[in-house]
């Protein structure tokens, strides 16, 4: 009987189950930096990711299985190979790169139309806030047309992976949403 | 049975192969699960790998799906799972195009992974990197190469090696690290618990590093020399394999530049005494191979040390070493049997070696080194032995005996007895028996004295033979050779027995054989009995047999009636000549493909070259001799330049293609080329009225093969005309040659008996194209010998790289190019021909001519003999084309026929080598006195 309860508990709180999170976005948005900021809390020097990085990290007693997929044009088509069982998508945008906002928006909406991602939460990081000329979160939100998203829990957070600002706030929100949905 | 089913069949013994689709489904389910069960995934991966190793394949989409699910396993940090993941990625990369998705993850492991998975990660970089991404791995690979851990370093070097064709630019920057890796002796990290049982290093890294350095520097002779000098003398290289490779590098160096050999001789001496058997073997191989091509450059002393080394290796306990030593000796025994003869005591003891491969090789070598004296005793040894070995070895032995019959015609009796004994008493399959029968047919063809005995025994054999093919061959031979034997009726009885007892295929072959007896033997009683036999056969129940009998009867009728058609019947039953099959085939296929008027014009057979019986024999014998020689040479070369074949296929291939880039036309192609040239010539309108092409010479090179314009000449002889064909190859890349003309000037214009008729120039010769320029002469006498000084004149025009046409404004400029002298010699009027009994024929020929020459140059007897054979275009007989290397005298026997009228010519050339040079006395005998004196007086 106790066994039963504990497994119930596990199910509810996911202490055993890993939560799968994808970090996506255009190349050079800062995905890999965010991943390692989350995992080791430091800024690492990165190279363009050819393929993906995957790390398992524990956050607030939850086991997160975070996949950082390369953002180069040649690698974007492969994103879909990793959509299955994804609890949440973190979409990273370079807030200073105004020219490619529309591309980012297009990629985002195309991705969200995928069947496998219908139930996933979406967290957008308006990254590189430390740089001059960066758009604010609401400006990015407008550029990405986030208001159009229906029936999905989403949020946009201004962040700077280099300075470590906004990352935990965003993730906190995300964890809350995931817990809520699993309940 | 296809390979696939065969493999399945084979595997059924070794356990069941899992079902492909089950594995696929299981993989897809398990690998996508979260969290990953590492143990279960490992099991699944190994089953998947087993499947792939068994030759199963997946479609590209399946493989891609598998790859992506496998890539998800990167989330698990288990080292043994990761190792399998790498293996799977490597396998799947062959089918799936998307493996580059694993790049980042792999590179991360290369950088931060444990020592256990690092080597696997590095090696899998080979399949994921391409030209653009290789650059980003440069730093990683470099630091892995200089790692102290031998396995990691090896993996990095091997990866660089394999990436070389992918990204030459990046890998070129690695030579310092590779150099360092050769010198650096790396040891496995000390593990105090098991140092006693494991060697602390195999130094294999040195081998890999050497391989990479070689690949990087293989075109730089000086760098390679430096490399060899740096490592060959001292003891810095510990790895045995690396040392062997060093020997191979030297082998390639000396083969490219033979003059280097002398400077390496002390090194070879040293290597022959090395403690490793493999190095002794490799060095001995190098020396003996080199000796085959450049005998004068190898010091006799070194050569005998090499042989002595091999001799010692024959009695070592290690089987592989004995076998390799035998292989080298076997090759050697084909060229210089006398040198190998010193090993005969060891070889004889190896006949009883428990390893059958070794004993068979030992016997074949003994057969080749055998002299007339011990042949018969050898044969009695193998008679006992042959029944104990498997079919494959029997065939090898039979082949050796067969060459023996060519080399020692006077030993035919014991050879034939042996063959017959094996044929009758030996157990064996079709291939084995067929080989024996072929050997006997050879003996009959080349040793006429043996005919009766061979035929009689073959008759006995066919009384009880289960193979149709062999029976038919024997019947054909009986029909061909039987009628001229002393007692033909004996064979007729045997053949008729077949008609009574055998199936229709054999019956029809017998009918043809019988009819040959009836026509070619002027024995009326025999003919009448055959006619009555054939009449009986004409009622056979099989169509083919009946038809053949009827037509045979008809032929016999016409041939006895002395009607004009009788010769036709004779010709059909007993053909005196055969078509050149290669040219017949090519003509027929072009006839079929052209099909101008739906085959209303019949196929024209008159243009195809015909060979008479003797000519055919000469061609066959020549081919066999050449095969023997070439086989030796090529086998010898085979293993030396292709390094590291065992370790890496790619490696072998790459070196291979580089070393053999020089044009190397083999015999078969050469013949086809000959036919092609004469076909082209005869199809040109200008030469239509010249009549029949009497003879075409071999292709003569008139320039160095690496010249800008490569020219090769062919001399075509007609009855009253001579045509020179110059094949010119333009090796320049961006220049076309217009209006190419070869001007031929006789060296002594006043005395020239040739009248120039016309020249057919080449209008335009594009880069890397070959075309022919022809010059026709009329000649007043049958045999004209002259030499010509030749110059090519042409206009060069630069080509527009876009259109491949000359620039319009370019008028080009006139240029000249001198090429070597072309000699029209007596040999060009002679065709090689075979004669069974040389001495008797030589004595019978009426006209005699003797000439004496003195050769001052320092060349070997063998080289003189080779030259004589080419210049006279005669066939060397009685195995006199080989000069024993330790003698100072030699007798060469040559036989040929005039291409113009078929008159015979025979030469006996005696050569004596002294300190002053080579003295040569040629004695020629011929039916035609002028031909004889021309040939004898223009030998050199």
């Amino acid at each position: 009987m106790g066994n039963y309860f504990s497994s119930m508990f596990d199910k509810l709180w996911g202490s055993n189950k890993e939560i799968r999170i994808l970090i996506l976005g255009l190349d050079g948005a800062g995905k890999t930096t965010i991943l390692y900021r989350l995992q080791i809390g430091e800024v690492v020097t990165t190279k363009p990711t050819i393929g993906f990085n995957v790390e398992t990290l524990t956050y607030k007693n939850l086991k997160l299985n975070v996949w950082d997929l390369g953002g180069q044009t040649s690698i974007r088509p492969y994103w879909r190979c990793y959509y299955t069982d994804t609890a949440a998508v973190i979409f990273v945008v370079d807030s200073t790169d105004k020219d490619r906002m529309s591309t980012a928006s297009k990629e985002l909406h195309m991705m969200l139309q995928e069947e496998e991602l219908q139930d996933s939460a979406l967290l957008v990081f308006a990254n590189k806030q430390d740089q001059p000329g960066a758009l604010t979160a609401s400006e990015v939100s407008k550029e990405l047309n986030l208001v159009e998203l229906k029936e999905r829990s989403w949020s946009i957070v201004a962040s700077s992976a280099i300075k470590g600002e906004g990352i935990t706030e965003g993730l906190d929100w995300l964890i809350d949403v995931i817990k809520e949905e699993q309940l | 049975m296809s390979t696939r089913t065969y493999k399945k069949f084979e595997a059924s013994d070794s356990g069941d192969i899992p079902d492909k689709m089950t594995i696929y489904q299981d993989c897809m389910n398990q690998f996508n699960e979260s969290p990953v069960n590492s143990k279960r995934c490992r099991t699944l991966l190994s089953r998947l790998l087993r499947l792939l190793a068994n030759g199963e394949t997946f479609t590209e989409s399946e493989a891609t799906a598998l790859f992506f699910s496998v890539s998800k396993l990167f989330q698990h940090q288990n080292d043994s799972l990761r190792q399998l993941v790498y293996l799977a990625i490597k396998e799947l990369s062959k089918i799936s195009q998307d493996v580059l998705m694993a790049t980042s993850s792999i590179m991360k492991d290369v950088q931060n992974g444990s020592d256990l998975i690092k080597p696997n990660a590095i090696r899998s970089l080979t399949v994921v990197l391409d030209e653009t991404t290789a650059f980003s791995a440069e730093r990683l690979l470099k630091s892995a190469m200089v790692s102290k851990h031998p396995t990691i370093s090896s993996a990095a070097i091997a990866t660089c090696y394999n990436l070389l064709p992918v990204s030459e630019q990046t890998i070129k920057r690695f030579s310092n690290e590779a150099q360092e890796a050769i010198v650096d002796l790396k040891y496995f990290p000390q593990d105090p618990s098991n140092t006693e049982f494991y060697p602390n290093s195999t130094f294999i890294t040195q081998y890999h590093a050497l391989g990479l350095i070689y690949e990087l520097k293989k075109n730089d002779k000086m760098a390679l020399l430096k490399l060899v000098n740096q490592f060959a003398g001292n003891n810095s290289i510990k790895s045995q394999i690396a040392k062997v490779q060093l020997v191979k590098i030297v082998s390639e160096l000396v083969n490219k530049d033979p003059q280097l050999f002398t400077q390496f001789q002390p090194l070879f001496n040293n290597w022959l005494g090395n403690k490793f058997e493999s190095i002794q073997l490799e060095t001995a191989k190098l020396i003996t191979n080199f000796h085959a091509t450049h005998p004068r450059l190898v010091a006799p002393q070194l050569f005998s040390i090499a042989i002595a080394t091999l001799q010692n290796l024959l009695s070592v306990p290690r089987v592989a070493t004995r076998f390799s030593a035998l292989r080298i000796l076997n090759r050697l025994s084909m060229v210089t049997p006398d040198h190998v003869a010193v090993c005969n005591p060891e070889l004889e003891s190896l006949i009883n070696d428990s390893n059958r491969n070794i004993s068979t090789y030992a016997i074949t070598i003994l057969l080749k080194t055998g002299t007339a004296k011990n042949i018969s005793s050898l044969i009695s040894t193998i008679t006992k032995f042959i029944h104990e070995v498997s079919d494959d070895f029997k065939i090898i032995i039979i082949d050796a005996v067969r060459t023996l019959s060519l080399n020692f015609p006077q030993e035919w009796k014991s050879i034939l007895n042996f063959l017959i004994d094996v044929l009758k008493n030996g157990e064996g399959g079709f291939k084995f028996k067929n080989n024996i029968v072929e050997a006997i047919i050879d003996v009959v063809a080349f040793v006429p004295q043996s005919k009766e005995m061979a035929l009689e025994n073959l008759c006995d054999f066919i009384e009880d033979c289960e193979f149709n093919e062999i029976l038919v061959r024997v019947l054909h031979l009986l029909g061909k050779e039987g009628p001229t034997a002393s007692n033909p009726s004996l064979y007729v009885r045997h053949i008729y027995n077949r008609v009574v007892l055998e199936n229709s295929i054999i019956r029809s072959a017998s009918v043809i054989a019988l009819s040959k007896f009836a026509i070619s033997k002027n024995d009326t009683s025999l003919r009448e009995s055959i006619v009555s036999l054939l009449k009986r056969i004409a009622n056979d129940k099989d169509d083919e047999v009946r038809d053949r009998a009827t037509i045979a009867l008809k032929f016999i009728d016409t041939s006895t009636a002395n009607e004009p058609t009788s010769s036709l019947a004779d010709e059909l039953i007993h053909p005196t000549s055969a078509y050149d099959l290669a040219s017949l085939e090519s003509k027929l296929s072009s006839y079929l493909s052209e099909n101008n008027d739906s085959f209303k014009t019949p196929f024209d057979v008159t243009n195809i070259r015909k060979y008479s019986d003797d000519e055919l024999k000469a061609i066959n014998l020549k081919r066999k001799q050449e095969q023997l020689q070439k086989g030796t040479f090529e086998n010898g070369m085979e293993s030396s330049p292709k390094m590291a074949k065992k370790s890496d296929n790619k490696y072998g291939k790459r070196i291979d293609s580089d070393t053999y880039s020089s044009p190397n036309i083999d015999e078969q192609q050469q013949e086809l080329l000959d036919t092609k040239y004469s076909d082209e010539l005869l199809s040109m309108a200008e030469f239509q009225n010249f009549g029949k092409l009497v003879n075409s010479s071999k292709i003569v090179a008139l320039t160095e093969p690496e010249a800008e314009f490569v020219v090769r000449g062919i001399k075509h002889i007609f009855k009253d005309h001579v045509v020179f064909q110059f094949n010119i190859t333009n090796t320049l890349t961006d220049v076309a040659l217009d209006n190419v003309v070869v001007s031929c000037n006789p060296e002594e214009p006043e005395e020239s008996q040739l009248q120039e008729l016309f020249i057919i120039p080449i209008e335009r010769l594009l880069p890397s194209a070959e075309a022919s320029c022809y010059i026709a002469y009329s000649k007043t006498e049958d045999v004209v010998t002259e030499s010509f000084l030749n110059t090519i004149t042409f206009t060069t025009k630069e080509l527009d790289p876009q259109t491949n046409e000359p620039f319009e404004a370019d008028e080009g400029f006139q240029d000249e190019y001198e090429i070597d002298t072309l000699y029209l010699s007596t040999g060009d009027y002679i065709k090689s021909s075979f004669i069974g009994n040389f001495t008797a024929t030589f004595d019978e020929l009426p006209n005699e001519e003797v000439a004496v020459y003195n050769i001052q140059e320092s060349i070997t007897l063998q080289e003189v003999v080779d030259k004589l054979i080419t210049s006279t275009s005669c066939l060397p007989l009685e195995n006199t084309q080989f000069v024993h290397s330790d003698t100072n005298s030699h007798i060469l026997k040559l036989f040929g026929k005039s291409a113009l009228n078929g008159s015979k010519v025979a030469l006996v050339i005696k050569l004596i080598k002294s300190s002053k040079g080579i003295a040569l006395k040629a004695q020629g005998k011929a039916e035609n006195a002028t031909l004889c004196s021309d040939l004898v007086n223009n030998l050199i």
Side-chain angles (χ1 to χ4, degrees), chain A residues 16 18 20 36 47-56 65 67 75 78 81-82 84-85, chain B residues 32 34-35 68 71-72 74-75 77 97-98 100-105 107-108 133 136 140:
Chain A
N16 199 17
E18 290 181 353
R20 217 174 121 85
Y36 288 102
K47 285 185 290 196
T49 308
I50 310 161
F52 60 86
N53 296 298
V54 56
E55 297 297 343
T56 311
N65 190 211
W67 295 72
I75 295 174
Y78 296 115
C81 302
Y82 298 89
T84 343
D85 289 333
Chain B
N32 286 325
S34 173
F68 281 111
S71 80
K72 288 179 186 168
F74 273 110
Q75 62 182 294
Q77 296 303 331
Q97 298 300 314
D98 308 308
L100 95 148
M101 275 302 278
T103 315
S104 270
S105 317
M107 295 225 242
K108 199 182 132 213
T133 50
S136 60
L140 282 181

Side-chain angles (χ1 to χ4, degrees), chain B residues 228-236 246 267 270-271:
Chain B
V228 172
N229 289 331
Q230 187 181 352
F231 297 114
N234 53 34
N235 211 14
S236 56
L246 209 55
L267 183 62
N270 182 356
W271 272 340

Side-chain angles (χ1 to χ4, degrees), chain B residues 351 358-368 382 385 397:
Chain B
I351 294 181
I358 288 180
S359 48
T360 311
Y361 252 129
I363 283 194
T364 46
I365 300 173
L366 282 171
L367 287 176
K368 282 167 202 141
I382 40 175
F385 168 84
I397 295 175

Side-chain angles (χ1 to χ4, degrees), chain B residues 741-759:
Chain B
V741 178
V742 180
S743 55
C744 283
N745 300 307
E747 257 180 329
E748 291 148 4
E750 299 83 36
E751 290 165 32
S752 176
Q753 288 162 310
L754 294 179
Q755 185 73 42
E756 188 174 315
L757 293 178
F758 54 82
I759 297 180

Side-chain angles (χ1 to χ4, degrees), chain B residues 183-457:
Chain B
V183 193
D184 200 6
L185 298 176
K186 298 176 199 249
Y187 296 91
F188 290 121
Q190 288 293 317
D191 179 355
S193 61
N194 59 15
T195 38
E196 274 178 55
F197 306 105
Y198 294 98
N200 46 16
S201 183
T202 55
F203 305 114
I204 193 71
T205 319
Q206 294 189 316
Y207 168 64
H208 292 135
L210 196 58
L212 180 60
I213 285 275
Y214 171 77
E215 266 309 305
L216 290 170
K217 307 227 161 131
K218 65 178 171 193
N219 294 323
D220 181 353
K221 191 177 109 186
M222 292 322 290
L224 286 183
L225 271 175
K226 208 176 130 203
L227 189 73
V228 172
N229 289 331
Q230 187 181 352
F231 297 114
N234 53 34
N235 211 14
S236 56
I237 290 197
K238 304 278 180 208
S239 157
Q240 180 177 184
I241 311 180
K243 275 200 165 165
V244 169
Q245 200 182 2
L246 209 55
V247 181
K248 289 181 172 182
I249 292 179
V250 174
S251 160
E252 209 195 314
L253 277 171
V254 296
N255 276 312
K256 276 189 180 157
D257 183 358
Q259 299 309 326
L260 287 174
F261 191 85
T262 338
Q263 94 178 58
F264 282 123
Q265 293 216 12
L267 183 62
F268 292 148
N269 260 319
N270 182 356
W271 272 340
L272 283 174
N274 194 287
K275 64 174 171 170
F276 292 119
E277 286 162 2
S278 57
I279 291 157
Q280 299 177 19
L281 275 172
E282 200 58 46
T283 314
K285 188 155 92 187
L286 188 165
I287 295 172
T288 51
N289 284 341
F290 190 76
H291 182 265
T293 42
H294 308 281
R296 268 181 301 147
L297 294 172
V298 183
Q301 199 203 351
L302 182 69
F303 188 71
S304 40
I305 296 177
I307 302 276
T309 310
L310 290 172
Q311 189 178 3
N312 281 334
L313 292 176
L314 287 180
S315 39
V316 298
R318 198 196 300 263
V319 179
T321 308
R322 288 207 302 273
F323 183 73
S324 323
L326 274 174
R327 264 179 56 119
I328 300 173
L329 286 171
N330 180 45
R331 217 140 49 196
L332 210 55
S333 67
M334 292 191 238
V335 228
T336 52
D338 46 318
H339 278 125
V340 183
V342 294
C343 305
N344 279 0
E346 280 80 5
L347 291 170
E348 270 161 29
S349 62
L350 284 179
I351 294 181
N352 299 318
D353 197 286
S354 58
N355 184 315
R356 284 304 176 204
N357 294 310
I358 288 180
S359 48
T360 311
Y361 252 129
I363 283 194
T364 46
I365 300 173
L366 282 171
L367 287 176
K368 282 167 202 141
T369 58
T371 53
K373 275 172 248 154
N374 64 4
I375 285 289
S376 38
S377 74
L378 259 178
I379 286 180
S380 67
T381 320
I382 40 175
T383 317
K384 281 174 251 152
F385 168 84
I386 195 164
H387 300 297
E388 296 163 16
V389 295
S390 75
D391 264 21
D392 288 337
F393 293 136
K394 283 182 189 165
I395 290 170
I396 295 177
I397 295 175
I398 296 294
D399 278 341
V401 174
R402 195 169 156 185
T403 39
L404 205 62
S405 70
L406 292 181
N407 294 349
F408 296 99
Q410 63 278 15
E411 288 297 320
W412 64 271
K413 230 175 206 155
S414 44
I415 294 170
L416 194 61
N417 271 328
F418 164 73
L419 288 173
I420 289 163
D421 172 68
V422 192
L423 183 63
K424 286 182 181 164
N425 306 325
E427 294 285 315
F430 167 72
K431 223 180 146 193
F432 168 56
K433 296 274 176 172
N434 194 37
N435 258 43
I436 304 175
V437 171
E438 258 174 28
I440 295 180
I441 292 175
D442 264 8
V443 176
V444 173
F446 296 113
V447 192
Q449 308 91 294
S450 67
K451 193 166 86 179
E452 308 241 331
M453 181 175 152
L455 291 187
E456 276 171 39
N457 282 292

